Amino acid sequence: MEIEGPGIVVERVPHGEGDYLVTLLSPDGLRRGLAKGGASRRQGGIWEQGNIVAARWVARLPEQLGAYSGELVRPVAALAMQEPDSLAVLRAACQLTAQALPEREAAPETFQGLLRLLAGIEIKGVALPALCRWELVLLRELGFGLDFSSSAGGNDRLAYVSPRTGRAVTLSQAGDWANRLLPLPDFLLDESEPDLKDCVAALRLTGHFLARDLFGARHRPLPPAREALYEQLSLRLEEKERGDAG
């Protein structure tokens, strides 16, 4: 059996001497395979986490692990290293993908969304909002989509999400319950440019449902890279707000 096509390297694990166990995301979903000699000087740069590759997977039987060979299409890992926040976003997105999606089940929206995220990974200020929007796509494709369909009229607007139902509510609907709801930043509803506070709020929002509905159902925490990104940005926001107040 042979499969060829584009893929995103979401995970690689050393296997034996000089090989990698590689997990790629394609439109057909996650697929693992052995990259023989993947840790060599010639191949090592191909299988970096986040890289976009043209891959070939070969196995005698469909249920077997199979073997990967591939060519580098876009060196996303090297580009992300130029910007610390971009590298943190890349690691968070790849870990989420590798741990959230079932193997060998088609996930075309998640794949396309991750491609868009990685396309701007080296551009300052682009990767983080893209991650927040992509996490909504991931939740939706796995059956845990949030409901932003409520209509707001006049001066009212969607401003919060119920942590229980995942439905958006307006300012007037929230009323005295606002402090029990999750803030809904505007950039998740339109194409506006978010600031750090907006991004932290968005990660808190998506993180709640990822932790409860997806990873919680498996009795597992959020992936470490995703947790670390949120904690890092929350700390930066606290420091910024203290500085502004001073």
Side-chain angles (χ1 to χ4, degrees):
M1 183 175 181
E2 181 176 323
I3 300 174
E4 290 187 73
I8 301 168
V9 181
V10 295
E11 186 177 66
R12 72 173 191 183
V13 179
H15 185 86
E17 294 186 10
D19 301 335
Y20 280 132
L21 185 61
V22 173
T23 304
L24 293 187
L25 176 66
S26 75
D28 295 325
L30 290 180
R31 186 175 294 271
R32 291 175 172 82
L34 186 65
K36 297 179 180 180
S40 67
R41 179 174 296 182
R42 185 175 66 86
Q43 291 192 52
I46 298 174
W47 306 111
E48 294 278 357
Q49 187 181 54
N51 280 354
I52 300 171
V53 299
R56 179 171 177 259
W57 180 89
V58 178
R60 290 182 59 196
L61 299 171
E63 62 270 18
Q64 290 183 323
L65 175 65
Y68 268 128
S69 58
E71 297 180 2
L72 184 62
V73 174
R74 179 172 169 79
V76 177
L79 294 170
M81 288 180 185
Q82 302 172 22
E83 176 62 45
D85 283 353
S86 294
L87 186 58
V89 166
L90 182 151
R91 289 172 174 165
C94 287
Q95 277 194 10
L96 273 172
T97 302
Q99 296 183 31
L101 292 176
E103 192 171 359
R104 302 190 185 188
E105 289 190 15
E109 291 185 29
T110 298
F111 174 73
Q112 290 297 332
L114 189 55
L115 274 182
R116 287 192 294 271
L117 189 162
L118 298 177
I121 197 72
E122 77 275 25
I123 306 173
K124 188 176 180 65
V126 169
L128 181 56
L131 174 70
C132 299
R133 293 182 174 113
W134 173 78
E135 287 186 349
L136 291 174
V137 174
L138 176 65
L139 282 165
R140 182 174 66 246
E141 190 153 55
L142 289 173
F144 304 111
L146 305 188
D147 183 0
F148 296 164
S149 62
S150 299
S151 60
N155 293 325
D156 211 358
R157 65 180 180 85
L158 296 178
Y160 300 98
V161 173
S162 166
R164 183 177 63 86
T165 66
R167 294 191 65 179
V169 298
T170 65
L171 283 170
S172 63
Q173 290 170 335
D176 295 337
W177 294 87
N179 61 349
R180 300 187 183 185
L181 303 175
L182 296 166
L184 173 60
D186 289 339
F187 83 98
L188 294 182
L189 301 169
D190 55 34
E191 296 301 316
S192 59
E193 293 293 328
D195 59 16
L196 178 59
K197 185 176 181 179
D198 291 330
C199 289
V200 170
L203 291 177
R204 180 188 172 201
L205 173 64
T206 53
H208 170 81
F209 293 100
L210 286 167
R212 188 193 71 178
D213 297 332
L214 182 57
F215 291 98
R218 304 174 186 177
H219 306 288
R220 295 170 57 186
L222 282 173
R226 174 56 167 80
E227 291 274 31
L229 175 65
Y230 178 72
E231 291 170 3
Q232 169 192 327
L233 295 174
S234 297
L235 180 59
R236 187 186 304 171
L237 178 61
E238 290 176 8
E239 293 173 347
K240 179 181 183 301
E241 290 178 340
R242 281 199 299 268
D244 292 344

